[in-house]
Amino acid sequence: REFVAQSRPPPRAPLVMPLDLDPIYCAEQIAVPPDLADVLKAYTKEVVRRQPADVYAFSADYFANLADVTAVPPEDTSAPTVHQLADAYSAVKGKGELSAADFESVCVGAGVPRATVQRAFRLGEFGSTAPVKPSEPLTLLLTMTDASFVGICASLFDVFGEDGKLTGVEFLALFAYLTAKDPSVTQESLDALETALGDKVNEKLSFGEANARVADVLAAIMDEGGM
C-alpha cells in the first residue's frame, strides 16, 4: 500500500516558555520576597494611572526602567533637600528652558546627586536632547523630599516662592504639574482649588495663608487618590 502523507502545519511554539520550577506541595514551601507587596502595589498604581493600551509592553518597559533605577547604588540616589532645590531654582530662575546637561550641572552644583537628577529625568520621561523647563524636573525632585502630600505642597512655596510666597496662579500651575499623572486629580479638582483661593488668586501668599483657604480641597483630593 501507498500512503500519501497529509500536509500538516508545524506545531506552534508556545508563547511563554514553561518555567522549570519545583512543585509546591504546602504553604511552608512558599517564600515571599519581602519587597514583593510594595513592588506590586507601585506597579498596579502606575497601570491604573496610565491606562496603557498594551499592558504587556507597558509592563516590560516599567520593570526595565525600575531595574535600571534600582541598579544605581543607593548612596548615589539620596534624596535632595528642599534647600538644595531652592538653590538650584535660584540659579536658573528667569532663564526659561535649559538643556538637560545644563540643568543637571546646576543641580549637581547645588549638591543634588547626579544619579538623583537622572532618576527625575526618567520619571518625568524627559528626553536627553530636548530642552526642559526647570520647574518641572525640580517639582519631581521635590516629591523625593517628603512622603507627605501636604508637605510637598508646602515645599513648593519654599523652592519656587519669593521669600516663601507664591501667587495663587503660580501655585495652581505647579500643583497641576505635580498631579498631572494622577487621574484622581481632575480639572474639577483644580477648579475647586482656584475657587477656594478666591480673590487672593493673584496675590502672593505663604503656604499657611494659601492652606487656610484650600485645606478642605486638598483633603478631598487626598481622600480621592488614597494619598
Side-chain angles (χ1 to χ4, degrees):
R1 274 188 182 180
E2 276 188 24
F3 291 89
V4 179
Q6 295 182 352
S7 61
R8 295 183 180 178
R12 294 180 59 187
L15 294 177
V16 180
M17 295 299 292
L19 298 177
D20 185 18
L21 300 175
D22 294 330
I24 296 176
Y25 298 107
C26 60
E28 286 74 15
Q29 288 181 270
I30 302 174
V32 179
D35 295 334
L36 180 61
D38 289 339
V39 170
L40 292 180
K41 181 179 178 181
Y43 162 71
T44 302
K45 192 171 184 179
E46 281 302 301
V47 171
V48 172
R49 281 181 173 180
R50 304 292 186 92
Q51 294 293 311
D54 187 336
V55 176
Y56 292 111
F58 173 83
S59 301
D61 290 341
Y62 174 85
F63 285 108
N65 288 336
L66 185 63
D68 182 42
V69 170
T70 55
V72 179
E75 63 272 17
D76 291 340
T77 55
S78 56
T81 66
V82 172
H83 180 72
Q84 288 170 338
L85 298 181
D87 284 349
Y89 182 67
S90 294
V92 299
K93 186 177 180 180
K95 291 187 177 180
E97 295 183 333
L98 294 176
S99 69
D102 286 345
F103 176 80
E104 183 178 300
S105 295
V106 168
C107 289
V108 171
V112 182
R114 188 177 303 276
T116 301
V117 181
Q118 293 170 349
R119 181 182 179 191
F121 268 75
R122 287 192 293 269
L123 291 173
E125 299 177 348
F126 299 106
S128 59
T129 57
V132 296
K133 186 178 179 181
S135 63
E136 294 180 352
L138 282 172
T139 298
L140 293 181
L141 285 164
L142 190 56
T143 64
M144 303 177 192
T145 65
D146 198 312
S148 161
F149 179 68
V150 174
I152 293 170
C153 290
S155 294
L156 290 173
F157 288 76
D158 297 324
V159 172
F160 301 106
E162 185 176 337
D163 296 326
K165 292 189 174 185
L166 291 170
T167 66
V169 171
E170 290 169 334
F171 168 65
L172 290 172
L174 290 166
F175 185 88
Y177 182 77
L178 174 67
T179 58
K181 293 182 179 179
D182 189 337
S184 68
V185 181
T186 62
Q187 184 59 49
E188 186 177 275
S189 303
L190 300 177
D191 291 343
L193 279 176
E194 183 174 358
T195 299
L197 287 169
D199 58 356
K200 300 292 185 181
V201 73
N202 291 310
E203 295 184 17
K204 285 191 174 293
L205 305 168
S206 67
F207 175 70
E209 292 167 334
N211 194 47
R213 290 173 170 263
V214 303
D216 289 344
V217 180
L218 290 180
I221 290 173
M222 287 189 289
D223 288 342
E224 183 70 23
M227 300 176 184

